[in-house]
Every structure is written in structure tokens, then in C-alpha cells.
Amino acid sequence: MSNQPLFDYSQLPAKRATRDNPLRGKSILSVAQFDKEIIEYLFGRTREMREMVQRVGTVNLLRQYVAACIFYEPSTRTSSSFIGAMERLGGRTIPITSGVEFSSVSKGETLADTMQVLEQYADVIVLRHHEIGAAKMAAEYTHVPIINAGDGAGEHPTQALLDLFTIQDELGSLDGLKVAMVGDLRYGRTVHSLTKLLLQYNVKLRFVSPEILRLPLNVMNQVIDAGVDVRETHDVADVIENADVLYVTRVQKERFTDLRQYEEVKNFYEITPELMKRAQEKMVVMHPLPRVGEIHYAVDSDPRAAYFRQVKNGMFVRMALLAAVLGQA
Ligand code: ASP
């Protein structure tokens, strides 16, 4: 195997080297940290990461860094895309992504202690936890940046950033769009985070859910305070013809205390090819995945189905974030 670096990073546009990095050393806990300027900065780096991967695959930008990825809740995409992102940038990982039950956590170790142990080994910690606010708490105990990879029904900032990037990438802009969010708006943390990010743009929001899964009041109040044009409905048919983005989510079974309630709403929506016939030609269908029946497999071949492109963008956004947080973007 050749030891040649695969890509000369200095060949990237000069603005990259001179632009100030607002994320250096920062924990990524909530989308509230991201204003338009930071988003633009991050998306610029994200496009560079994509170009780099397309051209050469991997670089040695983060060769001297180690990321600990600890997931107290199941994950496929988020964990593997963070690990993939480190790999693509030449960094290393300590993956504790399947089997926290085999770690000291099962012996009763507190989150604060686990974090203070991991920071002895790693330069950044990617954390998914089942409790709202866990990442914020972890950041108070550590000296290395924490990246919130989902805190219960709270937030999922890196998913929201990749969602926003995908919308912009697919449709060319964020302003002027009508975004419809469909499904479990109550427990779906990706919906909470994406909604908050979108409030910075000139968008119209449509929320489609069964009654018991409506958007939480605290998020809805932020929408109202932002003065955004907003409507709620139970019926996808009300939004399908005019939406530019249909953001579909799964009903979050694991958050229900009464499983009978879950059974009542689990099959509330299904996006089918028939329904897609009524949608605009330029609409995009997105989903944070995993899907469990909300989007019919026959929709996958529709060019408007953007969910797998969305997955790919996830790695590029996380590459940009890791590089930025570690001061290498
Ligand atoms: N993967 C996303 C999350 O972790 C969406 C989901 O699980 O439904 O929140």
C-alpha cells in the first residue's frame, strides 16, 4: 500500500484557510448555536468535503485525532456516518456503539464519570443518550467538545444540519419554500431541531400528524414567535399538492409509555406512488430513517425521493463538523 497522501488539501480554495472558524473547540449541543453565518460556513466546508471524497476518497486532515462515539440508544446511520467521517479524514475512533450494556454503564457508572473517562482517550466525544439534556450535561463535565448525536426526544442537531443542507442542495435555496413535516412530530427530535433551524429562513411550515403526535407546544411557540406562516393538519392530502419538501418521520415506538396508543397511530400515514402523482414535479421527499412503513418502497425509484442522498450528505456534514470542532476546517 502506498503511503502517499491521497489528496493535497492545500489545493482547496484559499478562502478555506483564511476564513475564521466559529466552531473551533465548541461542543455541538443544539441547533440554537447555529445562525445563518455559521450555517453558511459549515455548508461551505461540507461542499469541500463532498468534493474531496468524490475526487480522492480520504485525506489525512484529522490524522492526529481520536473521536469516542458512545451511543446509549440504537443507531445505524448516525454512528456509522460519524465513524465514516473520521475514517475519511484520516482520524481514529473509539466506537462504543453497540453494547453500552457491556460497558461500565451496566455497573452503574454515571454519565458524568463515563465522559470524564472518555476524554482521557479522545479529542472529541460523540454522544447519543435517551435523556433530554444529556449532551449539555456531559459538556459541563468535560474539557473536550461533545457532539450531541440525539438526546431522547429533545434534539438531533447534526441530523437537522444535514437535513437543511439536503434541502438547499436539492432545491437550490431555503427561502420561499413550503416545508411539510409528517408523522411523529411530538417525539421526533429531528423534527424539533429542523423546525428551529428553518425559522431563520423565509419558509412556510405545515405540520401533519395525528392528534396525539402534534408538535410540542414549546416548539410551536417558537414557530409562532418567529412569525412564520404555519398550519397544522391531520391529513397529508391537505399539503401534498403545494409542498416543496415532504419531511416524513417514523412513529417513535420507544417513546410511548402506553403501547396501545402506539398501535393506534403507527400506520397513520403511508406515502405511496399514487399520492406522489399529486405532488409537484420539483418536490423532494425526505426521511431521517429508519422508515417502518411510512414511505412505500415503490417511491424509492421516484427521482423526488431524496432520503438516500440525504444519508450520504450526513457523512459530509459530519466531516465538516468534526474538522471544524477540532480546529482543522
Ligand atoms: N434516526 C433518527 C433519530 O435518531 C430518526 C428516528 O430514529 O426515527 O432520531
Side-chain angles (χ1 to χ4, degrees):
M1 229 171 78
S2 154
N3 284 332
Q4 283 291 314
L6 291 173
F7 185 69
D8 181 358
Y9 215 76
S10 63
Q11 295 305 305
L12 289 172
K15 67 178 170 29
R16 189 193 66 80
T18 54
R19 180 108 41 103
D20 210 24
N21 170 5
L23 297 172
R24 184 192 310 266
K26 295 259 166 61
S27 286
I28 307 297
L29 305 175
S30 160
V31 288
Q33 294 168 249
F34 289 83
D35 61 19
K36 273 186 171 173
E37 208 177 315
I38 302 181
I39 291 169
E40 200 187 305
Y41 168 82
L42 183 73
F43 288 1
R45 303 292 78 75
T46 300
R47 283 187 285 274
E48 290 171 5
M49 293 299 172
R50 174 164 66 188
E51 189 190 324
M52 183 281 285
V53 170
Q54 282 164 357
R55 282 168 55 188
V56 293
T58 60
V59 288
N60 280 329
L61 190 69
L62 298 184
R63 182 173 34 191
Q64 67 273 45
Y65 295 102
V66 174
C69 300
I70 180 157
F71 282 63
Y72 290 76
E73 276 192 339
S75 165
T76 309
R77 270 150 301 279
T78 308
S79 58
S80 46
S81 69
F82 268 111
I83 293 169
M86 278 306 275
E87 296 278 336
R88 294 274 181 189
L89 292 173
R92 320 252 159 135
T93 56
I94 302 169
I96 314 165
T97 53
S98 56
V100 163
E101 65 272 27
F102 303 119
S103 73
S104 288
V105 171
S106 69
K107 300 181 190 166
E109 185 168 62
T110 61
L111 179 63
D113 273 7
T114 305
M115 292 300 111
Q116 289 176 100
V117 168
L118 287 180
E119 74 171 333
Q120 311 303 321
Y121 311 135
D123 306 293
V124 56
I125 300 172
V126 179
L127 169 70
R128 169 168 291 184
H129 199 274
H130 40 84
E131 275 172 34
I132 297 179
K136 187 164 177 286
M137 193 274 249
E140 280 159 20
Y141 283 90
T142 53
H143 302 92
V144 301
I146 300 286
I147 299 185
N148 180 3
D151 59 336
E155 278 218 33
H156 198 344
T158 66
Q159 175 74 45
L161 289 163
L162 77 90
D163 292 341
L164 198 72
F165 180 83
T166 302
I167 297 173
Q168 192 183 59
D169 200 50
E170 294 279 327
L171 297 174
S173 131
L174 291 160
D175 287 314
L177 298 180
K178 191 177 274 182
V179 180
M181 311 228 190
V182 181
D184 188 344
L185 312 183
R186 179 177 180 186
Y187 298 119
R189 55 192 172 199
T190 70
V191 169
H192 307 164
S193 292
L194 180 59
T195 298
K196 292 179 202 170
L197 269 188
L198 282 169
L199 295 182
Q200 301 192 43
Y201 299 87
N202 176 20
V203 291
K204 292 182 177 159
L205 296 176
R206 300 293 178 257
F207 294 110
V208 188
S209 72
E211 184 60 29
I212 62 164
L213 297 180
R214 284 172 66 185
L215 196 71
L217 268 186
N218 68 321
V219 185
M220 184 53 96
N221 283 336
Q222 289 187 40
V223 174
I224 291 165
D225 289 347
V228 165
D229 177 330
V230 59
R231 306 249 189 295
E232 288 181 286
T233 174
H234 301 315
D235 196 349
V236 187
D238 293 340
V239 302
I240 191 72
E241 280 159 22
N242 294 317
D244 299 296
V245 177
L246 197 69
Y247 187 90
V248 187
T249 61
R250 131 189 111 87
V251 178
Q252 309 271 304
K253 184 178 182 186
E254 66 276 29
R255 313 263 178 241
F256 282 74
T257 41
D258 179 353
L259 276 184
R260 279 169 312 181
Q261 273 198 341
Y262 167 74
E263 291 298 325
E264 278 167 29
V265 290
K266 69 174 186 190
N267 295 324
F268 217 81
Y269 301 108
E270 191 187 19
I271 309 303
T272 59
E274 289 65 46
L275 193 69
M276 290 294 287
K277 283 188 194 141
R278 297 168 56 191
Q280 300 189 71
E281 214 175 299
K282 272 195 66 195
M283 183 195 71
V284 288
V285 186
M286 295 172 56
H287 194 306
L289 301 179
R291 66 174 147 180
V292 287
E294 313 78 41
I295 302 180
H296 197 287
Y297 291 108
V299 175
D300 294 4
S301 54
D302 188 313
R304 295 169 291 182
Y307 27 93
F308 292 115
R309 297 191 289 276
Q310 188 183 349
V311 169
K312 192 158 198 175
N313 289 336
M315 186 179 74
F316 303 137
V317 169
R318 287 170 176 136
M319 289 170 76
L321 265 176
L322 284 164
V325 160
L326 292 168
Q328 298 298 318

